[in-house]
């Protein structure tokens, strides 16, 4: 974003942006070739039609009326070809532009899905959405409105100056000086406005992010009477957008009037000089008439380019943001160990693996569900360590619970198990295999996760449960719902499992959304289960019902549980108390109560979780 009162922030690598955009335009190269041919015909017809003024005027002056009629008819044919070509290239250009934008939007979405979770943790959703809306739209508008116009402007500029020289080289010197002045001004204004257009796009992304954030958090805004502060925050961003947009448009909008003014001066000078040449006999009247029309046309391509300048500048700024996101390194996955179904190991093991196995160097090793941390250090930022020399183990089929205050590192541990982030030091093993040696797709397929913040997708309730296993049958979906004790409330709904889910589950209660998320994990039938405060949004009565279903779901599986309600982890095989990224206590519920330490204080209420 440009600093107030300072120089605008310019694109960092304009050439790379142009190369990337041209590469995508190559996806519709045959259509663009057709556009180039049709534009050439249209521009050539316009040039030829203007040049025909010379023989037409001279024929009238010589009294050759038959020749005059033939020349007029030929001119009409030339312009008809031009009109047909113009109509053709506009239609082809629309299709080519949509093809290019389709490919950009598709590749952008696919690339974003391959980016590490850290990108989405550090980037506002509004900025991401702005890539697909504001930035892609500006590229689309530029392709639809500017590409063919730029090609035609180039053809007409070269053709016009060539014919001007042919008609009279002396007058062309005057025209050349004026056009050089126009080009110099346009380039200077373009450089200035391009940086402001980039700042405008960045500010627009920030504004979109703020709007998305405020709309998503309306309940919090209203509960704390935050409306005045929200309005003030919006006003500041809106004012910044107004400032950058005004500055960008102010520079860009001066191009057309400046170009037109210089062209009028040029036309006046050439008219007087041409009239003197005609009176002296150095130039025929037909050549002068044709020349004067060409003089007006000599500036028209430049005016056309300046009229499209806003689109081009905004498109370059938007394209730079798009290709900048697409240049980000995707999530690395160096793992070679794959998760496979193995007939040889089809019997359900202690971990509930049910025929899953690790394929290592061509051999299948049964999946057990043994997860261990060895001296793990980790921090989301280099300067701050969250976990310190952490060591723990979860044997197959064990239920491991983590308790501790907010920020102690509980959720971070689960983020490391599924490799949303990688450890900074130490090793995490899964059945004795370094998790970094397991492909991320296989690793995450073996893990079922129920998060505290439930996210439901557009579709039906059945679709959302089936998200855990896309090929799940209707009976499997219902069985999973029964495990999570969600079948009761779903069946009572008018459309049952076909009930639409809208606005991230706004038509469902928080508890119902959480039950659907638990059913989603149940249908995946994973050997290892991670529950990140999965019952935090369920009331006490519902919790008693769902706990029985959770016990059925967890039976025979390795389970990691993060909970604020200590009553939900009493039956855990091991409870770990974390403080400031370190395990300060470990044991069963009874063992920790007997120690009368940190856990005892939390359980008895002598100390509260914060």
């Amino acid at each position: 974003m440009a600093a107030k009162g300072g120089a605008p922030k310019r694109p960092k690598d304009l050439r790379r942006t142009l190369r990337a955009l041209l590469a995508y335009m190559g996806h519709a190269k045959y259509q663009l070739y057709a556009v180039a041919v049709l534009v050439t015909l249209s521009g050539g017809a316009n040039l030829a039609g203007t040049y025909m003024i010379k023989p037409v005027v001279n024929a009238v002056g010589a009294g050759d009326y038959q020749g005059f009629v033939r020349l007029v008819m030929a001119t009409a044919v030339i312009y008809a070809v031009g009109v047909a070509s113009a109509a053709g290239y506009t239609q082809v250009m629309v299709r080519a532009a949509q093809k290019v934008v389709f490919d950009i939007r598709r590749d952008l979405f696919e690339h974003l899905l391959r980016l590490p979770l850290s990108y989405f943790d550090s980037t506002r959703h509004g900025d991401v959405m702005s890539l697909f809306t504001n930035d892609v739209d500006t590229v689309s508008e530029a392709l639809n409105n500017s590409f063919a116009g730029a090609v035609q402007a180039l053809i007409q500029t070269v053709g016009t100056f060539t014919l001007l020289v042919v008609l009279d080289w002396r007058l062309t010197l005057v025209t050349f000086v004026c056009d050089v002045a126009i080009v110099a001004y346009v380039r200077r204004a373009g450089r200035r406005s391009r940086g402001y257009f980039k700042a405008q796009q960045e500010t627009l992304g920030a504004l979109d992010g703020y709007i998305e954030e405020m709309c998503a958090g309306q309940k919090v805004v209203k509960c704390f009477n935050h409306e005045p502060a929200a309005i003030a925050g919006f006003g500041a961003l809106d004012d910044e957008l107004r400032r950058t947009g005004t500055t960008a448009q102010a520079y860009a909008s001066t191009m057309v009037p400046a170009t037109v003014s210089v062209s009028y001066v040029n036309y006046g000078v050439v008219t007087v000089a041409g009239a003197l040449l005609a009176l002296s006999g150095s130039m025929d009247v037909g050549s002068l008439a044709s020349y004067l029309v060409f003089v007006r046309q000599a500036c028209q391509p430049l005016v056309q380019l300046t009229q499209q300048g806003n689109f081009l500048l905004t498109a370059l700024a938007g394209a730079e943001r798009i290709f900048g996101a697409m240049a980000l390194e995707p999530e690395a996955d160096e793992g070679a160990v794959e998760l496979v179904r193995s007939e040889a190991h089809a019997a359900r093991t202690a971990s509930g693996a049910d025929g899953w196995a690790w394929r290592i160097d061509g051999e299948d090793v049964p999946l057990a569900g043994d997860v261990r941390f060895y001296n793990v250090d980790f921090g989301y930022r280099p300067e701050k360590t969250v976990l310190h020399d952490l060591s723990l183990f979860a044997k197959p089929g064990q239920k491991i619970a983590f308790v501790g205050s907010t920020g102690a590192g509980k959720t971070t541990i689960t983020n490391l198990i599924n490799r949303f982030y990688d450890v900074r030091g130490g090793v995490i093993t899964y059945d004795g295999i370094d998790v970094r040696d397991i492909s991320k797709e296989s690793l995450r397929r073996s893990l079922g996760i129920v998060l505290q913040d439930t996210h439901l997708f557009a579709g039906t309730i059945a679709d959302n449960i089936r998200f855990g296993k896309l090929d799940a049958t209707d009976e499997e979906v219902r069985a999973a719902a029964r495990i999570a004790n969600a079948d009761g409330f779903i069946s009572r709904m008018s459309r049952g499992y076909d009930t639409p889910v809208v606005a991230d589950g706004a038509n469902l209660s928080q508890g119902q959304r959480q039950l659907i998320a638990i059913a989603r994990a149940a249908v995946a039938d994973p050997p290892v289960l991670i529950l990140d405060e999965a019952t935090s949004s369920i009331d006490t009565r519902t919790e008693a019902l769902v706990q029985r279903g959770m016990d059925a779901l967890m039976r025979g599986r390795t389970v990691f549980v993060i909970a604020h309600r200590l009553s939900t982890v009493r039956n855990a095989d091991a409870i770990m108390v974390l403080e400031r990224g370190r395990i300060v206590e470990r044991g069963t519920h009874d063992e920790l109560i007997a120690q009368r330490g940190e856990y005892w204080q939390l359980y008895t209420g002598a100390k509260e979780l914060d």
Side-chain angles (χ1 to χ4, degrees):
M1 187 180 300
K4 292 184 178 182
K9 182 178 180 180
R10 296 181 178 181
K12 296 178 181 179
D13 196 339
L14 184 58
R15 290 184 179 180
R16 186 179 68 178
T17 302
L18 287 173
R19 284 197 300 269
L21 185 57
L22 289 173
Y24 272 98
M25 292 175 68
H27 295 185
K29 60 182 179 181
Y30 295 113
Q31 291 170 301
L32 293 177
Y33 288 156
V35 169
V37 171
L38 292 172
V39 168
T40 301
L41 285 175
S42 176
N46 188 38
L47 292 170
T50 302
Y51 187 80
M52 289 297 290
I53 294 175
K54 174 182 176 180
V56 167
V57 171
N58 287 339
V60 173
D64 183 6
Y65 294 107
Q66 290 184 347
F68 168 77
V69 173
R70 289 195 301 271
L71 291 169
V72 169
M73 292 179 63
T75 303
V77 171
I78 291 172
Y79 278 118
V81 171
V83 170
S85 298
Y89 81 68
T90 54
Q91 294 301 310
V92 177
M93 189 65 235
V94 168
R95 289 165 174 76
Q98 291 307 308
K99 164 64 176 172
V100 172
V101 172
F102 169 82
D103 289 346
I104 290 176
R105 189 184 291 115
R106 177 201 61 203
D107 291 350
L108 175 62
F109 184 76
E110 290 179 359
H111 186 78
L112 287 178
L113 289 184
R114 291 196 296 267
L115 291 180
L117 189 65
S118 57
Y119 170 78
F120 298 96
D121 285 344
S122 60
T123 306
R124 289 183 299 185
H125 293 172
D127 289 335
V128 177
M129 291 303 302
S130 183
L131 295 174
F132 290 94
T133 53
N134 301 321
D135 296 327
V136 171
D137 285 348
T138 57
V139 173
S140 176
E141 289 178 10
L143 291 175
N144 282 317
N145 300 318
S146 301
F147 174 77
V151 174
Q152 187 173 39
L154 177 63
I155 293 170
Q156 290 202 186
T157 298
V158 174
T160 298
F161 275 99
T162 300
L163 292 174
L164 285 176
V165 173
V166 170
L167 289 170
D168 195 289
W169 65 270
R170 294 163 296 183
L171 294 178
T172 305
L173 293 176
V174 178
T175 301
F176 180 76
V177 171
C178 292
D179 286 345
V180 167
I182 291 174
V183 171
Y185 177 79
V186 168
R187 290 188 62 185
R188 179 179 179 276
R191 283 196 302 268
R192 296 281 294 178
S193 61
R194 186 165 57 243
Y196 284 111
F197 273 112
K198 173 67 181 297
Q200 176 185 335
Q201 289 299 105
E202 291 180 346
T203 308
L204 186 58
L207 186 63
D208 286 346
Y210 187 85
I211 294 171
E212 189 270 341
E213 188 178 55
M214 290 299 109
C215 289
Q218 267 301 294
K219 288 185 179 179
V220 178
V221 171
K222 293 184 182 300
C223 284
F224 291 94
N225 297 316
H226 195 73
E227 290 93 340
I231 293 171
F234 176 86
L237 287 172
D238 197 27
D239 184 67
E240 181 67 10
L241 180 60
R242 176 198 58 78
R243 188 187 67 81
T244 55
T246 300
T247 308
Q249 296 292 343
Y251 275 105
S253 62
T254 61
M255 296 181 188
V256 173
T259 300
V260 171
S261 297
V262 175
S263 68
Y264 281 145
V265 172
N266 178 43
Y267 186 78
V269 172
V270 169
T271 301
V272 173
L276 294 176
L277 291 175
L279 291 173
S280 67
S282 300
M283 189 177 190
D284 59 71
V285 176
S287 294
L288 177 60
S290 183
Y291 193 95
L292 290 176
V293 176
F294 272 123
V295 167
R296 295 300 302 271
Q297 289 185 351
C299 289
Q300 282 180 1
L302 297 177
V303 172
Q304 185 180 9
L305 286 175
T306 55
Q307 287 174 333
Q308 300 299 332
N310 291 359
F311 290 117
L312 292 171
L313 294 172
T314 306
L316 288 174
E320 185 179 43
R321 282 163 50 88
I322 292 171
F323 297 128
M326 294 174 69
L328 295 174
E329 286 295 326
E331 187 176 29
D333 189 2
E334 67 281 6
V337 177
E338 299 290 339
L339 182 69
V340 296
R341 281 287 190 184
S342 176
E343 295 298 330
H345 307 290
R348 179 174 289 275
T349 64
S351 67
D354 196 18
W356 289 109
W358 302 115
R359 180 156 293 171
I360 306 174
D361 297 329
E363 295 185 7
D364 292 351
V365 179
L367 189 154
D370 186 296
V371 180
R372 297 172 183 262
F373 282 57
Y374 296 96
N375 308 113
V376 168
D377 292 322
F378 174 76
Y380 293 99
R381 298 190 302 272
E383 68 276 9
K384 184 176 181 180
T385 301
V386 177
L387 299 180
H388 305 267
D389 195 28
L390 191 77
S391 295
L392 60 89
F393 63 88
K395 295 179 180 180
Q398 282 191 330
K399 177 181 177 181
I400 307 299
F402 299 104
V403 299
S405 59
T406 301
K410 305 183 297 296
T411 299
T412 299
I413 292 175
T414 61
N415 284 341
L416 296 179
I417 294 174
N418 53 42
R419 289 195 67 196
F420 287 159
Y421 295 88
D422 281 327
V423 298
R424 186 187 301 171
V427 177
I428 301 174
T429 64
Y430 192 161
D431 291 341
I433 308 167
D434 189 329
V435 292
R436 289 170 292 193
D437 294 332
I438 304 173
S439 75
K440 289 184 177 179
E441 180 182 356
S442 293
L443 176 66
R444 292 166 185 169
R445 192 190 307 161
S446 73
L447 301 170
I449 303 177
V450 180
L451 301 173
Q452 178 182 7
D453 298 323
T454 302
H455 180 76
L456 300 183
F457 298 89
T460 65
I461 290 178
D463 291 336
N464 274 275
I465 295 175
R466 194 174 279 115
F467 202 85
K469 183 184 178 184
L470 296 180
D471 59 350
T473 64
D474 290 344
E475 182 52 40
E476 288 176 320
V477 168
R478 292 189 181 93
R482 285 193 290 270
I483 290 175
N485 273 329
D487 181 67
F489 87 83
I490 297 175
S491 299
R492 287 192 297 270
M493 304 186 81
S494 59
R495 297 178 62 179
Y497 285 84
D498 293 326
T499 300
V501 175
V502 299
D504 198 14
N507 56 330
L508 302 171
S509 70
Q510 183 66 33
Q512 289 172 336
R513 294 199 294 268
Q514 198 72 22
L515 291 174
I516 291 174
I518 294 170
R520 180 190 294 167
V523 78
D525 195 26
V528 175
L529 193 62
I530 298 173
L531 307 176
D532 188 351
E533 302 190 48
T535 59
S536 62
S537 301
I538 301 174
D539 57 66
T540 305
R541 179 178 177 276
T542 306
E543 182 186 350
L545 295 174
V546 79
Q547 193 62 50
R548 291 197 295 270
M550 294 294 294
D551 290 340
L553 175 62
M554 291 185 290
R555 189 174 299 119
R557 289 180 168 85
T558 303
V559 182
F560 294 93
V561 180
I562 298 173
H564 273 294
R565 295 180 182 177
L566 300 185
S567 60
T568 63
V569 298
R570 289 189 57 175
N571 62 347
D573 296 289
I575 300 172
M576 301 184 190
V577 183
L578 279 82
E579 285 299 330
R580 298 182 180 180
R582 292 182 171 86
I583 298 176
V584 295
E585 290 181 358
R586 174 184 175 123
T588 64
H589 171 77
D590 292 337
E591 290 171 347
L592 294 178
I593 290 295
Q595 290 179 17
R596 298 179 67 85
E598 189 81 12
Y599 181 80
W600 177 82
Q601 294 185 59
L602 294 172
Y603 190 79
T604 59
K607 181 178 180 181
E608 294 184 356
L609 288 172
D610 52 18

